[in-house]
Amino acid sequence: FRRVLFRSPKEVLGKPPHALLQTIHPAPWPEIRAILEQDRQWKGELIHRTRGGQEVIVECYKQLAILDGRHLVMETNRDITERKRLERIQAEFIALAAHELKTPLTSLKGFAQLLQRGIHSETALETIIRQVNRLDRLVSDLMDVSRLDTGQLELRRCPLDLAALITQQDRKSTR
């Protein structure tokens, strides 16, 4: 109770969660109530804003029961805030990866078209090789991320001269 509502169990008991939280529904309440009346259930995502101002995204399931002519709604909420955050990070990563793959492909396509037209140059071949190597590194990195995600990446610890690595990277970036 305290983590989500910032209230004690005594303050919460018997009160609807929407009276305790500033709840943002995906549709106006009359629409949700109409679905409940028709289907006897509703499932969706809500955003609860706690007394402390924190937003908690929940998967909400409401079920309507009619007892002695009274409409009672049982509601369960499952916190999916972390899952949503990870989904957003994953989408951003995929967009970045797609962009990083597209850049060398554009260069490769342009130089390949020059070679196709009979315009041969050492620069074109060097650029193609450099971009293919870049794509190879990107794909290897993506495969490592996938292996890391599935627990299949084997990490090997070894001594590292950090100063030499920084110097080496600095030289590469100034080329």
Side-chain angles (χ1 to χ4, degrees):
F1 293 107
R2 291 193 193 285
R3 186 176 71 79
V4 175
L5 301 174
F6 292 94
R7 300 172 196 273
S8 71
K10 271 187 178 176
E11 292 177 276
V12 171
L13 223 52
K15 295 183 178 138
H18 307 293
L20 300 166
L21 297 166
Q22 300 170 352
T23 301
I24 302 169
H25 292 82
W29 175 243
E31 287 179 28
I32 294 173
R33 186 173 35 201
I35 293 169
L36 268 171
E37 293 285 336
Q38 179 182 336
D39 300 340
R40 301 286 191 251
Q41 62 184 6
W42 178 86
K43 184 177 180 179
E45 292 179 7
L46 305 177
I47 299 174
H48 292 311
R49 204 168 275 124
T50 66
R51 179 161 63 181
Q54 176 185 5
E55 285 191 354
V56 180
I57 304 169
V58 297
E59 187 174 72
C60 177
Y61 180 73
K62 297 175 187 275
Q63 186 158 5
L64 177 65
I66 302 174
L67 298 172
D68 299 326
R70 291 179 47 202
H71 289 102
L72 304 171
V73 177
M74 182 179 83
E75 179 177 319
T76 57
N77 290 297
R78 186 167 57 122
D79 186 346
I80 60 170
T81 307
E82 181 65 9
R83 184 181 85 199
K84 289 295 192 178
R85 185 185 73 79
L86 292 174
E87 287 172 359
R88 189 180 67 252
I89 289 170
Q90 182 181 26
E92 290 170 0
F93 174 77
I94 289 170
L96 178 66
H99 175 75
E100 288 296 317
L101 289 169
K102 185 73 174 165
T103 302
L105 284 174
T106 302
S107 176
L108 283 171
K109 185 177 181 181
F111 282 108
Q113 287 171 339
L114 287 174
L115 292 173
Q116 189 178 37
R117 291 184 193 136
I119 305 170
H120 296 277
S121 79
E122 195 61 33
T123 305
L125 292 173
E126 288 170 4
T127 302
I128 288 172
I129 291 168
R130 191 172 56 251
Q131 294 298 357
V132 166
N133 288 337
R134 180 176 177 198
L135 282 171
D136 185 50
R137 283 191 310 275
L138 286 169
V139 170
S140 292
D141 289 348
L142 288 173
M143 289 172 67
D144 285 348
V145 168
S146 175
R147 285 188 204 110
L148 186 63
D149 194 38
T150 60
Q152 296 175 349
L153 182 66
E154 182 182 323
L155 299 177
R156 285 181 237 120
R157 295 177 186 239
C158 63
L160 174 68
D161 183 349
L162 189 56
L165 180 64
I166 291 170
T167 303
Q168 178 187 10
Q169 291 303 315
D170 186 46
R171 284 188 196 132
K172 281 184 182 178
S173 68
T174 56
R175 288 183 193 163

